[in-house]
Amino acid sequence: MGVSNPDRLSTGQTMQFIKSFDFSYGRNDRVSARVERVIANNPGPFTFTGTGTYIVGAGGAVAVIDPGPADEAHLSALLAAIGDRTVSHILVTHTHSDHAPLSKALAAACGGVPIYAAQPPMRDGLEAVRLDEHDDEDFQPDVIISGGEVIEGDGWTIEVMATPGHASNHLAFVLREENGLFSGDHIMGWSTTIVAPPDGDMSDYMASLEAVMARGFDVIWPTHGAPITDVEPFLKGYHAHRTGREAQVLERLEAGDTTIAQMVPVLYAVVSQTLWPAASLSVLSHLIKLARDGRVTTDDEYSLSGHWHLIS
Ligand SMILES: [Zn+2]
């Protein structure tokens, strides 16, 4: 069963999200001097209008970022957009099923292009809720990258930035020539991103968000939705949304709640109960962060069923 992102629905009104933009499935749109984008027809509660695959180039060989879902029409559209250009690199932000699976077919269709991505996550963890954005278990990169690497292309330079949080192996890619960031699902213009334990981690997420804020990018190109051009105010709002949710969790503990089951109906009163399983994971991610910060304690290992208390 697919579930949507409850944090978007419950508190999204306080942020200036970018909900409308001009696009058409399969069309190659130029979004900057060195960046083109083709959107796959896989809309959904996590993917918004679908996966935006970026083609990065300056007239010579290009890189492709996040080829997307295993979808024949999207592969054809990408090959048409690439035309007679050479693809020198395929870069993948993380291994979720709306980002990674088409990499292999695209690499083969373009003559054996190396795929660059982080080490896939350990796959023996329990998934408490099956989210419709899940891990592509067959994905295997040719070149493992982890952050800090600089990839030189034909007239473009990409710096790899580790941005764990949404996924433990999430990377973002800095296009140095344009002071822009391909943010994957770490930062999206249309919505907050889901941080679902065990692979998602709110402590990592907040640290990664602050690392991006400190860089002063001029533009952010998320995998889903429109580019973010008013970067600084947007990121301040994005950060405030998370600290606001954390404060709400602390308020519930102060009010005497000890379980996630008690907190969710209050914190997510305005959202449909069908979204409460995902909301529970989001609250758990905040509680784990607060425990690590020394603000709360639990009588159990970090789990959805534990009892949580403030440390006074
Ligand atoms: Zn995604």
Side-chain angles (χ1 to χ4, degrees), residues 248-249 251-269 276 279-280 283-284 287 299 303-310:
Q248 289 177 327
V249 170
E251 275 169 25
R252 290 318 308 160
L253 291 164
E254 274 161 21
D257 289 355
T258 61
T259 66
I260 291 171
Q262 290 170 318
M263 295 178 210
V264 166
V266 180
L267 297 179
Y268 295 87
W276 287 0
S280 299
V283 172
L284 176 62
L287 286 165
D299 55 6
S303 82
L304 285 166
S305 56
H307 288 258
W308 302 80
H309 304 274
L310 283 173

Side-chain angles (χ1 to χ4, degrees), residues 80-99:
I82 292 161
D84 56 10
R85 294 178 289 182
T86 300
V87 179
S88 59
H89 302 74
I90 292 174
L91 309 175
V92 178
T93 59
H94 63 300
T95 46
H96 284 169
S97 56
D98 55 322
H99 297 252

Side-chain angles (χ1 to χ4, degrees), residues 39 44 74 85 118 121 138 140 150-151 176 189 197 214 224 260 282 300 302:
I39 297 183
H74 190 51
R85 294 178 289 182
D138 299 325
Q140 198 54 247
V150 175
I151 299 170
R176 284 190 170 166
H224 309 287
I260 291 171
S282 185
D300 193 1
Y302 297 152

Side-chain angles (χ1 to χ4, degrees), residues 16 81 92 95 113-114 121 157 180 186 192 310:
Q16 291 296 312
V92 178
T95 46
V113 183
T157 314
H186 180 52
T192 57
L310 283 173

Side-chain angles (χ1 to χ4, degrees), residues 2 6 14 36 59 77 89 98 106 155 191 221 226 236 238 245 254 264 279:
T14 59
E36 299 151 54
H89 302 74
D98 55 322
L106 181 68
S191 169
W221 298 291
K236 279 186 176 160
Y238 221 58
R245 178 63 81 202
E254 274 161 21
V264 166

